[in-house]
Amino acid sequence: MQTIGGLILAVVALAVVYAFIVRPWHLHRGATKDEVQRSLPGDELVPNPKFVWNQAITIHAPAAEVWPWLVQIGNQRAGWYSWDAIHRLLGVAGSVDHEDRSADRIIPELQNLQIGDVIQMMPEDMGTPGYQVVFIEPGRALVTHIDDENGASWVWVLDPIDAESTRLIVRFRQKWEPGLMGLAIWIGDELGSLVMQPKTLSGIKQRAEAAAGQ
């Protein structure tokens, strides 16, 4: 009984640490207070979200040189520049260059992303909807949206700091319906924001800076 009680206390302690320390940090990871509070294109797509996170990173490369890495992102496009080993376990890894990892080059045929195009999170036969491009300003903003009862907006904005540096700001807004499906979506989004999204940002940073010679 003491062992069971100890385990319960450990689980409760971990839950408290996550809820009050880890979660507030990772939901705003890298973002300034102004970046969290400012309005971004696409906020109106999910006006009453149940889950929101903002993450940002400074990239030592001009916005025009970061954009090509961003615009080609997606499953079976350039991949997600994230933890490829985890994606392989989930069956969602790969790019047009490599069946098991993200691309390490700018891919010319993926640069002409248009409004109405769909960026898939995983292979289409897995039945998960992709994010449709609803607004695009080359070199500046990419706004994507899933428009259903559990819809979400996923927005990527490039803010030039100066001629040689850029802030990449990402905002995610999600709604979901009550029930097991909504719970599953929330858990997936929570893990994605904690584990996968930060690696995607650092993956873009690494590639863009390397290409810029930084």
Side-chain angles (χ1 to χ4, degrees):
M1 291 296 294
Q2 288 182 342
T3 300
I4 294 175
L7 288 173
I8 292 173
L9 286 175
V11 170
V12 171
L14 287 172
V16 170
V17 169
Y18 180 79
F20 291 99
I21 299 176
V22 177
R23 191 170 192 268
W25 165 72
H26 83 74
L27 293 182
H28 298 160
R29 190 181 306 191
T32 67
K33 183 177 180 180
D34 286 344
E35 289 168 343
V36 171
Q37 294 180 344
R38 66 185 279 193
S39 61
L40 292 180
D43 283 350
E44 73 283 356
L45 297 170
V46 184
N48 297 299
K50 295 182 178 178
F51 180 53
V52 179
W53 54 256
N54 297 263
Q55 295 185 15
I57 196 168
T58 297
I59 301 175
H60 299 292
E65 295 183 23
V66 179
W67 179 257
W69 297 99
L70 172 59
V71 78
Q72 65 185 21
I73 205 167
N75 180 260
Q76 294 306 314
R77 290 171 55 79
W80 294 102
Y81 314 128
S82 191
W83 299 107
D84 287 323
I86 296 177
H87 281 157
R88 286 194 290 271
L89 287 174
L90 296 175
V92 300
S95 64
V96 295
D97 281 349
H98 310 277
E99 66 178 15
D100 61 352
R101 64 182 177 88
S102 300
D104 290 319
R105 68 180 179 100
I106 294 172
I107 304 170
E109 58 268 31
L110 298 180
Q111 294 300 304
N112 192 33
L113 194 67
Q114 301 289 324
I115 291 175
D117 289 346
V118 175
I119 300 174
Q120 296 292 344
M121 291 292 296
M122 54 189 63
E124 292 185 60
D125 58 10
M126 296 183 74
T128 300
Y131 283 81
Q132 186 175 53
V133 177
V134 296
F135 175 78
I136 190 166
E137 182 181 345
R140 168 66 176 165
L142 172 61
V143 178
T144 69
H145 184 219
I146 294 177
D147 186 13
D148 61 17
E149 67 276 9
N150 297 303
S153 61
W154 199 0
V155 178
W156 309 69
V157 172
L158 296 174
D159 264 354
I161 299 173
D162 52 38
E164 302 298 330
S165 299
T166 306
R167 286 288 284 174
L168 171 55
I169 305 166
V170 184
R171 177 173 295 167
F172 182 85
R173 294 163 65 90
Q174 172 83 63
K175 62 180 181 178
W176 60 75
E177 294 298 314
L180 291 177
M181 179 60 71
L183 178 62
I185 290 172
W186 172 74
I187 292 172
D189 291 340
E190 190 81 17
L191 291 174
S193 65
L194 176 64
V195 179
M196 307 307 290
Q197 180 68 59
K199 179 62 174 176
T200 293
L201 267 63
S202 64
I204 293 174
K205 172 183 172 72
Q206 178 185 15
R207 288 165 172 82
E209 290 181 350
Q214 298 294 323

